[in-house]
Amino acid sequence: MNPIASKSRADRRAFVAKLLSTVPDALVVTGLGSAAYDVFAAGDRDLNYYLWGAMGGAAALGLGLALAQPTRSVVVITGDGEQLMGIGSLATIAAKQPRNLSIVVLDNGHFGETGMQRSHSSLGTNLVAVAKGFGIADAFAVDSLEGCDEVSRRVLSRDGVSFAQVFIEANEPPRALPPRDGPFIKNRFRSALGLKPF
Amino acid sequence: MNHSTASAPAWQEAVFKVLKEGGVDQIVYVPDAGHSHVIRSAIADPDIEDVVLTTEEEGVAVVCGAWLGGKRSVLLMQSSGVGNCVNMFSLLQAADFPFFTLVTMRGEYAEFNPWQGPMGKATQAALELMGIHVLRASHPDEVEEIVSAGYDAAFEAGEKVAVLLGQSLIGRKKWERK
C-alpha cells in the first residue's frame, strides 16, 4: 500500500477542466489515453499536443518544448502508467530544472485504457517520493478539486519545475476523442506559436 | 583515464562544426566515447541546451518537443541505444517530425565485447524498419560531408535521418587500464 495514497480523490474531468481554465496560455502536452481525453473534453485548443502513442514520452516531449519556449508555461498532463513507463525522464528533467515546466500525473493507480489492471502506484510506488528522489524538489500530491489551485499557481509563476500527483477516481468517463492526425496537431500547434513551415 | 580536451580527433571536431553552423539549439545524448567532444562542446556553449538522458527513447520525444517549439534538436547515442528507441520512433512517423540522430557504432569492427554484437549488427535494419533513412561515415575525411548532408535533409527537407559513425573511426578500444 502506498503510504501516502489518499482516500479522498478528485474527479478527473472536473480537475483537468478547472486547471486548463486557469492557465489559458499554457502549452499543453498530454500522455496517451484518458489524459488526452480529459484535456480534449475540457475544450480543444490549438496549443494542445495530444499523444496517441509514444507511451512514456510525454514528460520528455514536454522537456524539449519547455527548453525551446522558455517564456511560455508548459504543462504535461498524463497518467500514472504513462509516467511510469518513462520514469527516467524525471531524472532528465531534474538535471535541467526547466523553470517553466509542470508535470501533472492523473493517478488512479490503474491502467485505465487496458482494463483497469492495477499499476505500480497502487502496488507500492510513491510517485512524489520518486520525483523528489530524482531531484524535482517541488513534488507534491493533491486529492481534490481545490488542490487544483496549487498546480495552477506553479504553472503561472514559471519559477521552477514541479511535479503534481493528482489522486483521481478510478472511473471511466465517456470517451472524448481528440484528433488522431499527428501532422495536423503538430502543424496547428506550431502555427499557433507563430512558427512557419520549414 | 585521460579526459583532456586537448586532442579531440578532427572528425569529432567536424561533427560539432556542422551542428553549430547548422544552428542546432539542443544536443541531447546518452554518452559514448565517440561523442565526447561534441558533448563537451555542447556543455561549454551557452547557446546550446545540453540534455543528458537516462535512456535514448527519451531523446526521441525531447527532439520532437523541441521542434514543436520551433527549435532544432539532435540526438546522440550509441548503436545499442537504437534498440531502446524502437517504439518511440513511431512518434516520428505518426506526426511526421524531422529527426536527426548520430549513432556511434559498436559490434562491427575489432569488437572485444560480444554483448555489443547483436544490437550493433541490427542497428541499421532497426532504423530502416522504423522508416529512418540511414547514412554512414566510416572514414574520418568523409564525416563532415555526410553529417552535413544528413543534417540538412532532416531540417531542410523534414526527413528522418540517422548517420552511423563507424566503429573504425573510434578504433580499437583499450581494455587494459595502465
Side-chain angles (χ1 to χ4, degrees):
Chain A
M1 186 66 189
N2 184 334
I4 65 159
S6 168
K7 288 199 175 76
S8 167
R9 291 191 174 253
D11 176 77
R12 60 186 309 149
R13 287 280 160 89
F15 190 96
V16 170
K18 184 178 178 192
L19 173 62
L20 293 176
S21 73
T22 56
V23 296
D25 297 326
L27 314 183
V28 177
V29 175
T30 81
L32 78 173
S34 298
Y37 312 153
D38 295 337
V39 170
F40 180 72
D44 195 20
R45 302 161 67 247
D46 289 354
L47 290 172
N48 287 350
Y49 191 77
Y50 309 104
L51 289 169
W52 274 91
M55 186 165 174
L61 195 146
L63 172 63
L65 178 60
L67 295 174
Q69 291 282 328
T71 64
R72 302 293 298 259
S73 297
V74 175
V75 187
V76 173
I77 300 178
T78 190
D80 47 300
E82 204 275 346
Q83 186 59 70
L84 283 158
M85 190 173 283
I87 201 70
S89 63
L90 297 180
T92 300
I93 288 164
K96 292 303 289 182
Q97 295 288 321
R99 299 168 65 86
N100 57 329
L101 178 60
S102 304
I103 300 157
V104 179
V105 175
L106 304 172
D107 188 353
N108 59 11
H110 291 77
F111 295 96
E113 194 67 15
T114 52
M116 281 293 170
Q117 300 87 355
R118 288 203 290 169
S119 84
H120 308 69
S121 68
S122 57
L123 293 167
T125 297
N126 178 333
L127 287 174
V128 169
V130 169
K132 283 180 186 285
F134 273 134
I136 300 178
D138 190 9
F140 59 100
V142 299
D143 61 9
S144 69
L145 194 55
E146 291 67 43
C148 186
D149 297 337
E150 287 189 59
V151 182
S152 311
R153 179 165 56 76
R154 288 167 167 89
V155 173
L156 293 168
S157 67
R158 294 196 292 278
D159 64 0
V161 62
S162 66
F163 177 94
Q165 179 183 27
V166 182
F167 289 107
I168 55 163
E169 293 163 11
N171 58 7
E172 293 181 90
R175 290 272 162 94
L177 302 182
R180 297 186 296 289
D181 182 338
F184 166 76
I185 302 165
K186 176 196 67 177
N187 291 331
R188 182 176 73 160
F189 189 102
R190 282 173 49 90
S191 177
L193 285 176
L195 299 168
K196 302 276 187 281
F198 64 79
Chain B
M1 295 261 308
N2 179 9
H3 293 286
S4 141
T5 59
S7 57
W11 67 267
Q12 291 193 28
E13 292 179 347
V15 171
F16 186 71
K17 176 168 171 273
V18 168
L19 301 181
K20 182 66 180 172
E21 290 178 357
V24 72
D25 299 294
Q26 301 179 6
I27 293 179
V28 312
Y29 61 92
V30 172
D32 190 36
H35 293 307
S36 56
H37 172 74
V38 176
I39 293 168
R40 277 197 305 270
S41 303
I43 291 169
D45 190 321
D47 297 325
I48 297 175
E49 293 281 3
D50 61 289
V51 179
V52 60
L53 309 163
T54 69
T55 178
E56 295 81 358
E57 65 262 40
E58 292 171 9
V60 178
V62 171
V63 304
C64 291
W67 181 256
L68 207 54
K71 300 293 186 183
R72 294 179 171 193
S73 184
V74 168
L75 171 58
L76 313 181
M77 60 179 151
Q78 187 184 117
S79 48
S80 50
V82 170
N84 292 345
C85 290
V86 171
N87 181 57
M88 200 64 78
F89 286 149
S90 308
L91 179 56
L92 308 175
Q93 296 289 332
D96 196 19
F97 278 104
F99 178 65
F100 187 61
T101 186
L102 294 169
V103 180
T104 45
M105 293 301 296
R106 294 290 304 271
E108 64 170 22
Y109 180 86
E111 180 59 69
F112 172 90
N113 180 354
W115 300 69
Q116 290 284 359
M119 191 64 231
K121 289 173 181 65
T123 294
Q124 178 163 353
L127 288 161
E128 289 172 344
L129 273 170
M130 294 308 292
I132 295 167
H133 182 54
V134 177
L135 302 173
R136 168 184 278 272
S138 300
H139 304 289
D141 57 2
E142 66 185 5
V143 169
E144 180 170 349
E145 172 58 25
I146 291 172
V147 171
S148 177
Y151 187 90
D152 286 350
F155 293 114
E156 302 298 335
E159 290 192 27
K160 301 113 186 62
V161 184
V163 174
L164 308 185
L165 298 169
Q167 192 170 5
S168 57
L169 289 168
I170 293 112
R172 293 169 188 266
K173 185 162 179 167
K174 293 181 180 62
W175 284 93
E176 295 188 20
R177 290 183 183 168
K178 306 238 161 55

Short mmCIF file of all heavy atoms in Angstrom, two decimals, chain A residues 58-76 88-103 131 134-138 154-163, chain B residues 26 49-52 62:
data_model
loop_
_atom_site.label_atom_id
_atom_site.label_comp_id
_atom_site.label_asym_id
_atom_site.label_seq_id
_atom_site.Cartn_x
_atom_site.Cartn_y
_atom_site.Cartn_z
N ALA A 58 5.66 11.51 -22.86
CA ALA A 58 5.00 12.81 -22.68
C ALA A 58 5.88 13.81 -21.92
O ALA A 58 6.05 14.95 -22.35
CB ALA A 58 3.66 12.63 -21.97
N ALA A 59 6.44 13.40 -20.80
CA ALA A 59 7.23 14.33 -19.99
C ALA A 59 8.50 14.74 -20.74
O ALA A 59 8.90 15.91 -20.69
CB ALA A 59 7.58 13.70 -18.64
N ALA A 60 9.11 13.81 -21.43
CA ALA A 60 10.33 14.13 -22.19
C ALA A 60 10.00 15.09 -23.33
O ALA A 60 10.75 16.04 -23.60
CB ALA A 60 10.98 12.86 -22.73
N LEU A 61 8.87 14.87 -23.99
CA LEU A 61 8.46 15.80 -25.05
C LEU A 61 8.21 17.18 -24.45
O LEU A 61 8.60 18.21 -25.03
CB LEU A 61 7.22 15.25 -25.76
CG LEU A 61 6.89 15.89 -27.11
CD1 LEU A 61 6.27 14.88 -28.06
CD2 LEU A 61 5.94 17.08 -26.95
N GLY A 62 7.61 17.20 -23.29
CA GLY A 62 7.39 18.47 -22.60
C GLY A 62 8.70 19.17 -22.26
O GLY A 62 8.79 20.40 -22.32
N LEU A 63 9.73 18.40 -21.94
CA LEU A 63 11.04 19.00 -21.64
C LEU A 63 11.61 19.69 -22.88
O LEU A 63 12.07 20.84 -22.80
CB LEU A 63 12.02 17.92 -21.15
CG LEU A 63 13.47 18.39 -20.99
CD1 LEU A 63 13.60 19.48 -19.93
CD2 LEU A 63 14.38 17.21 -20.67
N GLY A 64 11.57 18.99 -24.01
CA GLY A 64 12.09 19.60 -25.25
C GLY A 64 11.35 20.88 -25.58
O GLY A 64 11.94 21.89 -25.99
N LEU A 65 10.04 20.87 -25.37
CA LEU A 65 9.21 22.04 -25.65
C LEU A 65 9.50 23.17 -24.65
O LEU A 65 9.61 24.34 -25.04
CB LEU A 65 7.74 21.63 -25.60
CG LEU A 65 6.70 22.73 -25.81
CD1 LEU A 65 6.87 23.40 -27.18
CD2 LEU A 65 5.29 22.14 -25.69
N ALA A 66 9.65 22.82 -23.39
CA ALA A 66 9.91 23.84 -22.36
C ALA A 66 11.25 24.53 -22.59
O ALA A 66 11.38 25.74 -22.41
CB ALA A 66 9.86 23.20 -20.97
N LEU A 67 12.26 23.76 -23.00
CA LEU A 67 13.56 24.36 -23.29
C LEU A 67 13.50 25.23 -24.54
O LEU A 67 14.19 26.24 -24.65
CB LEU A 67 14.62 23.27 -23.46
CG LEU A 67 14.94 22.44 -22.21
CD1 LEU A 67 15.90 21.31 -22.56
CD2 LEU A 67 15.51 23.30 -21.09
N ALA A 68 12.63 24.83 -25.48
CA ALA A 68 12.51 25.59 -26.73
C ALA A 68 11.71 26.88 -26.54
O ALA A 68 11.90 27.84 -27.28
CB ALA A 68 11.84 24.73 -27.80
N GLN A 69 10.82 26.91 -25.58
CA GLN A 69 9.92 28.05 -25.37
C GLN A 69 10.01 28.50 -23.90
O GLN A 69 9.03 28.39 -23.14
CB GLN A 69 8.48 27.64 -25.70
CG GLN A 69 8.23 27.40 -27.17
CD GLN A 69 8.08 28.70 -27.96
OE1 GLN A 69 7.58 29.69 -27.45
NE2 GLN A 69 8.50 28.69 -29.21
N PRO A 70 11.14 29.03 -23.51
CA PRO A 70 11.35 29.30 -22.08
C PRO A 70 10.46 30.40 -21.49
O PRO A 70 10.34 30.49 -20.27
CB PRO A 70 12.84 29.71 -22.02
CG PRO A 70 13.19 30.12 -23.40
CD PRO A 70 12.35 29.31 -24.32
N THR A 71 9.83 31.20 -22.34
CA THR A 71 8.96 32.25 -21.80
C THR A 71 7.51 31.82 -21.73
O THR A 71 6.64 32.61 -21.33
CB THR A 71 9.04 33.53 -22.66
OG1 THR A 71 8.54 33.24 -23.97
CG2 THR A 71 10.48 34.02 -22.76
N ARG A 72 7.21 30.56 -22.11
CA ARG A 72 5.85 30.04 -22.04
C ARG A 72 5.76 28.96 -20.96
O ARG A 72 6.72 28.23 -20.72
CB ARG A 72 5.43 29.42 -23.39
CG ARG A 72 5.52 30.35 -24.58
CD ARG A 72 4.52 31.48 -24.52
NE ARG A 72 3.15 31.03 -24.53
CZ ARG A 72 2.35 31.05 -25.62
NH1 ARG A 72 2.82 31.48 -26.78
NH2 ARG A 72 1.09 30.64 -25.54
N SER A 73 4.60 28.88 -20.35
CA SER A 73 4.36 27.78 -19.41
C SER A 73 4.02 26.52 -20.17
O SER A 73 3.18 26.54 -21.08
CB SER A 73 3.18 28.13 -18.49
OG SER A 73 3.47 29.26 -17.70
N VAL A 74 4.69 25.44 -19.82
CA VAL A 74 4.42 24.14 -20.45
C VAL A 74 3.87 23.20 -19.37
O VAL A 74 4.47 23.08 -18.29
CB VAL A 74 5.70 23.55 -21.08
CG1 VAL A 74 5.44 22.15 -21.62
CG2 VAL A 74 6.23 24.47 -22.18
N VAL A 75 2.75 22.56 -19.67
CA VAL A 75 2.13 21.61 -18.74
C VAL A 75 2.03 20.26 -19.41
O VAL A 75 1.46 20.15 -20.51
CB VAL A 75 0.71 22.05 -18.32
CG1 VAL A 75 0.18 21.13 -17.22
CG2 VAL A 75 0.69 23.49 -17.87
N VAL A 76 2.56 19.24 -18.79
CA VAL A 76 2.37 17.87 -19.25
C VAL A 76 1.29 17.25 -18.38
O VAL A 76 1.40 17.25 -17.15
CB VAL A 76 3.67 17.06 -19.13
CG1 VAL A 76 3.43 15.59 -19.46
CG2 VAL A 76 4.76 17.64 -20.02
N GLY A 88 12.36 7.47 -15.99
CA GLY A 88 13.70 8.06 -16.00
C GLY A 88 13.70 9.49 -16.53
O GLY A 88 14.62 10.27 -16.22
N SER A 89 12.70 9.84 -17.31
CA SER A 89 12.66 11.21 -17.83
C SER A 89 12.55 12.23 -16.71
O SER A 89 12.93 13.39 -16.88
CB SER A 89 11.53 11.38 -18.85
OG SER A 89 10.28 11.18 -18.25
N LEU A 90 12.07 11.81 -15.54
CA LEU A 90 12.03 12.75 -14.40
C LEU A 90 13.45 13.11 -13.97
O LEU A 90 13.71 14.24 -13.54
CB LEU A 90 11.25 12.14 -13.23
CG LEU A 90 9.77 11.86 -13.51
CD1 LEU A 90 9.11 11.28 -12.26
CD2 LEU A 90 9.02 13.10 -13.97
N ALA A 91 14.38 12.18 -14.07
CA ALA A 91 15.78 12.49 -13.77
C ALA A 91 16.36 13.45 -14.81
O ALA A 91 17.10 14.38 -14.48
CB ALA A 91 16.61 11.21 -13.71
N THR A 92 16.01 13.19 -16.06
CA THR A 92 16.48 14.05 -17.15
C THR A 92 15.94 15.47 -16.97
O THR A 92 16.65 16.46 -17.15
CB THR A 92 16.03 13.43 -18.49
OG1 THR A 92 16.61 12.13 -18.59
CG2 THR A 92 16.45 14.28 -19.67
N ILE A 93 14.69 15.57 -16.61
CA ILE A 93 14.06 16.88 -16.36
C ILE A 93 14.71 17.55 -15.15
O ILE A 93 15.02 18.75 -15.17
CB ILE A 93 12.55 16.70 -16.18
CG1 ILE A 93 11.90 16.36 -17.52
CG2 ILE A 93 11.91 17.95 -15.54
CD1 ILE A 93 10.51 15.80 -17.43
N ALA A 94 14.93 16.80 -14.10
CA ALA A 94 15.53 17.37 -12.89
C ALA A 94 16.93 17.91 -13.17
O ALA A 94 17.34 18.93 -12.62
CB ALA A 94 15.58 16.33 -11.77
N ALA A 95 17.65 17.22 -14.05
CA ALA A 95 19.01 17.68 -14.38
C ALA A 95 18.98 19.04 -15.06
O ALA A 95 19.94 19.81 -14.96
CB ALA A 95 19.71 16.65 -15.27
N LYS A 96 17.90 19.34 -15.76
CA LYS A 96 17.78 20.62 -16.47
C LYS A 96 17.02 21.68 -15.68
O LYS A 96 17.16 22.87 -15.95
CB LYS A 96 17.08 20.41 -17.83
CG LYS A 96 17.87 19.63 -18.83
CD LYS A 96 19.23 20.25 -19.14
CE LYS A 96 19.14 21.54 -19.94
NZ LYS A 96 20.49 22.07 -20.27
N GLN A 97 16.18 21.28 -14.76
CA GLN A 97 15.40 22.22 -13.93
C GLN A 97 14.72 23.31 -14.78
O GLN A 97 14.89 24.51 -14.49
CB GLN A 97 16.29 22.86 -12.85
CG GLN A 97 16.83 21.87 -11.83
CD GLN A 97 15.77 21.38 -10.85
OE1 GLN A 97 14.90 22.14 -10.41
NE2 GLN A 97 15.79 20.10 -10.52
N PRO A 98 13.95 22.93 -15.77
CA PRO A 98 13.29 23.97 -16.57
C PRO A 98 12.21 24.67 -15.73
O PRO A 98 11.28 24.02 -15.23
CB PRO A 98 12.67 23.19 -17.74
CG PRO A 98 12.49 21.80 -17.20
CD PRO A 98 13.61 21.58 -16.23
N ARG A 99 12.35 25.98 -15.57
CA ARG A 99 11.50 26.73 -14.66
C ARG A 99 10.05 26.79 -15.11
O ARG A 99 9.15 27.08 -14.32
CB ARG A 99 12.03 28.16 -14.52
CG ARG A 99 13.43 28.24 -13.96
CD ARG A 99 14.02 29.63 -14.12
NE ARG A 99 13.28 30.62 -13.33
CZ ARG A 99 13.54 30.88 -12.05
NH1 ARG A 99 14.51 30.24 -11.43
NH2 ARG A 99 12.84 31.78 -11.40
N ASN A 100 9.84 26.53 -16.41
CA ASN A 100 8.50 26.70 -16.99
C ASN A 100 7.79 25.39 -17.25
O ASN A 100 6.84 25.36 -18.03
CB ASN A 100 8.64 27.48 -18.31
CG ASN A 100 9.58 26.78 -19.30
OD1 ASN A 100 10.52 26.11 -18.91
ND2 ASN A 100 9.32 26.95 -20.57
N LEU A 101 8.23 24.32 -16.63
CA LEU A 101 7.63 23.00 -16.89
C LEU A 101 6.92 22.47 -15.64
O LEU A 101 7.52 22.41 -14.56
CB LEU A 101 8.70 22.00 -17.33
CG LEU A 101 8.24 20.57 -17.61
CD1 LEU A 101 7.19 20.52 -18.72
CD2 LEU A 101 9.42 19.67 -17.96
N SER A 102 5.67 22.09 -15.81
CA SER A 102 4.88 21.47 -14.74
C SER A 102 4.40 20.11 -15.24
O SER A 102 3.83 20.01 -16.33
CB SER A 102 3.67 22.33 -14.39
OG SER A 102 4.05 23.64 -14.05
N ILE A 103 4.62 19.10 -14.44
CA ILE A 103 4.17 17.75 -14.79
C ILE A 103 3.01 17.40 -13.88
O ILE A 103 3.13 17.51 -12.65
CB ILE A 103 5.30 16.74 -14.65
CG1 ILE A 103 6.44 17.13 -15.59
CG2 ILE A 103 4.83 15.32 -14.95
CD1 ILE A 103 7.76 16.57 -15.18
N ALA A 131 9.72 11.34 -7.64
CA ALA A 131 10.06 12.61 -8.28
C ALA A 131 11.07 13.39 -7.43
O ALA A 131 12.05 13.93 -7.95
CB ALA A 131 8.80 13.44 -8.52
N PHE A 134 14.47 11.87 -7.70
CA PHE A 134 15.14 12.20 -8.96
C PHE A 134 15.65 13.62 -8.97
O PHE A 134 16.42 13.98 -9.86
CB PHE A 134 14.18 12.01 -10.14
CG PHE A 134 14.14 10.61 -10.69
CD1 PHE A 134 12.93 9.99 -10.97
CD2 PHE A 134 15.31 9.92 -10.97
CE1 PHE A 134 12.89 8.71 -11.51
CE2 PHE A 134 15.28 8.63 -11.51
CZ PHE A 134 14.06 8.02 -11.78
N GLY A 135 15.18 14.44 -8.04
CA GLY A 135 15.70 15.81 -7.98
C GLY A 135 14.69 16.89 -8.30
O GLY A 135 15.05 18.05 -8.47
N ILE A 136 13.42 16.52 -8.39
CA ILE A 136 12.36 17.53 -8.56
C ILE A 136 11.86 17.85 -7.15
O ILE A 136 10.98 17.17 -6.61
CB ILE A 136 11.23 17.04 -9.47
CG1 ILE A 136 11.81 16.70 -10.86
CG2 ILE A 136 10.12 18.10 -9.58
CD1 ILE A 136 10.79 16.15 -11.85
N ALA A 137 12.44 18.88 -6.55
CA ALA A 137 12.15 19.17 -5.14
C ALA A 137 10.70 19.57 -4.93
O ALA A 137 10.09 19.23 -3.91
CB ALA A 137 13.08 20.29 -4.65
N ASP A 138 10.14 20.27 -5.90
CA ASP A 138 8.75 20.75 -5.76
C ASP A 138 7.78 19.69 -6.29
O ASP A 138 7.10 19.88 -7.30
CB ASP A 138 8.58 22.07 -6.51
CG ASP A 138 7.25 22.73 -6.20
OD1 ASP A 138 6.54 22.26 -5.28
OD2 ASP A 138 6.91 23.72 -6.88
N ARG A 154 1.68 27.26 -9.76
CA ARG A 154 3.04 26.92 -10.22
C ARG A 154 3.15 27.09 -11.74
O ARG A 154 4.17 27.56 -12.25
CB ARG A 154 3.38 25.51 -9.80
CG ARG A 154 3.64 25.39 -8.30
CD ARG A 154 3.66 23.94 -7.88
NE ARG A 154 4.19 23.73 -6.55
CZ ARG A 154 3.44 23.74 -5.44
NH1 ARG A 154 2.13 24.00 -5.50
NH2 ARG A 154 3.99 23.51 -4.26
N VAL A 155 2.11 26.67 -12.45
CA VAL A 155 2.14 26.81 -13.91
C VAL A 155 2.29 28.27 -14.29
O VAL A 155 3.12 28.64 -15.15
CB VAL A 155 0.86 26.23 -14.54
CG1 VAL A 155 0.81 26.52 -16.04
CG2 VAL A 155 0.77 24.72 -14.28
N LEU A 156 1.53 29.12 -13.63
CA LEU A 156 1.52 30.55 -13.99
C LEU A 156 2.81 31.25 -13.57
O LEU A 156 3.25 32.19 -14.23
CB LEU A 156 0.32 31.24 -13.34
CG LEU A 156 -1.04 30.79 -13.87
CD1 LEU A 156 -2.17 31.31 -12.98
CD2 LEU A 156 -1.25 31.27 -15.31
N SER A 157 3.42 30.79 -12.49
CA SER A 157 4.58 31.53 -11.97
C SER A 157 5.87 31.23 -12.72
O SER A 157 6.77 32.06 -12.77
CB SER A 157 4.78 31.22 -10.48
OG SER A 157 5.16 29.87 -10.32
N ARG A 158 5.96 30.04 -13.33
CA ARG A 158 7.18 29.65 -14.07
C ARG A 158 8.44 29.89 -13.24
O ARG A 158 9.46 30.36 -13.75
CB ARG A 158 7.28 30.41 -15.40
CG ARG A 158 6.20 30.06 -16.38
CD ARG A 158 6.56 30.52 -17.79
NE ARG A 158 6.59 31.95 -17.94
CZ ARG A 158 5.52 32.71 -18.13
NH1 ARG A 158 4.31 32.14 -18.22
NH2 ARG A 158 5.64 34.01 -18.25
N ASP A 159 8.40 29.56 -11.97
CA ASP A 159 9.61 29.79 -11.17
C ASP A 159 10.23 28.50 -10.66
O ASP A 159 10.95 28.49 -9.68
CB ASP A 159 9.36 30.79 -10.05
CG ASP A 159 8.35 30.28 -9.04
OD1 ASP A 159 7.85 29.15 -9.22
OD2 ASP A 159 8.06 31.01 -8.08
N GLY A 160 9.98 27.42 -11.39
CA GLY A 160 10.65 26.17 -11.04
C GLY A 160 9.85 24.97 -11.53
O GLY A 160 8.63 25.01 -11.61
N VAL A 161 10.58 23.92 -11.89
CA VAL A 161 9.90 22.70 -12.35
C VAL A 161 9.11 22.10 -11.19
O VAL A 161 9.54 22.13 -10.03
CB VAL A 161 10.91 21.70 -12.94
CG1 VAL A 161 11.92 21.24 -11.91
CG2 VAL A 161 10.20 20.51 -13.58
N SER A 162 7.93 21.58 -11.50
CA SER A 162 7.11 20.98 -10.45
C SER A 162 6.50 19.67 -10.95
O SER A 162 6.39 19.43 -12.15
CB SER A 162 6.00 21.94 -10.00
OG SER A 162 5.08 22.16 -11.04
N PHE A 163 6.14 18.86 -9.97
CA PHE A 163 5.54 17.55 -10.25
C PHE A 163 4.33 17.39 -9.33
O PHE A 163 4.49 17.41 -8.11
CB PHE A 163 6.56 16.44 -9.99
CG PHE A 163 6.02 15.04 -10.18
CD1 PHE A 163 6.18 14.39 -11.40
CD2 PHE A 163 5.36 14.38 -9.15
CE1 PHE A 163 5.69 13.09 -11.58
CE2 PHE A 163 4.86 13.09 -9.33
CZ PHE A 163 5.04 12.44 -10.55
N GLN B 26 19.61 22.35 -29.42
CA GLN B 26 19.69 21.37 -28.32
C GLN B 26 20.51 20.16 -28.79
O GLN B 26 20.34 19.71 -29.93
CB GLN B 26 18.29 20.86 -27.91
CG GLN B 26 17.33 21.92 -27.45
CD GLN B 26 15.96 21.34 -27.09
OE1 GLN B 26 15.76 20.11 -27.08
NE2 GLN B 26 15.01 22.21 -26.80
N GLU B 49 21.45 24.03 -25.53
CA GLU B 49 20.98 23.27 -24.38
C GLU B 49 21.51 21.85 -24.49
O GLU B 49 21.26 21.17 -25.49
CB GLU B 49 19.44 23.22 -24.34
CG GLU B 49 18.77 24.55 -24.09
CD GLU B 49 18.79 24.96 -22.62
OE1 GLU B 49 19.36 24.23 -21.77
OE2 GLU B 49 18.22 26.02 -22.33
N ASP B 50 22.24 21.40 -23.50
CA ASP B 50 22.70 20.01 -23.48
C ASP B 50 21.81 19.23 -22.52
O ASP B 50 21.54 19.69 -21.41
CB ASP B 50 24.16 19.94 -23.04
CG ASP B 50 24.37 20.49 -21.64
OD1 ASP B 50 24.28 21.72 -21.47
OD2 ASP B 50 24.59 19.68 -20.71
N VAL B 51 21.34 18.09 -22.97
CA VAL B 51 20.42 17.29 -22.15
C VAL B 51 20.95 15.87 -22.08
O VAL B 51 21.00 15.16 -23.10
CB VAL B 51 19.00 17.28 -22.75
CG1 VAL B 51 18.06 16.43 -21.90
CG2 VAL B 51 18.44 18.70 -22.89
N VAL B 52 21.34 15.45 -20.89
CA VAL B 52 21.77 14.06 -20.73
C VAL B 52 20.53 13.22 -20.39
O VAL B 52 19.71 13.60 -19.56
CB VAL B 52 22.88 13.92 -19.66
CG1 VAL B 52 22.45 14.39 -18.28
CG2 VAL B 52 23.37 12.47 -19.59
N VAL B 62 12.16 14.21 -26.70
CA VAL B 62 12.69 15.56 -26.45
C VAL B 62 12.87 16.31 -27.77
O VAL B 62 12.47 17.48 -27.89
CB VAL B 62 14.03 15.51 -25.68
CG1 VAL B 62 14.67 16.90 -25.63
CG2 VAL B 62 13.83 14.99 -24.26
#
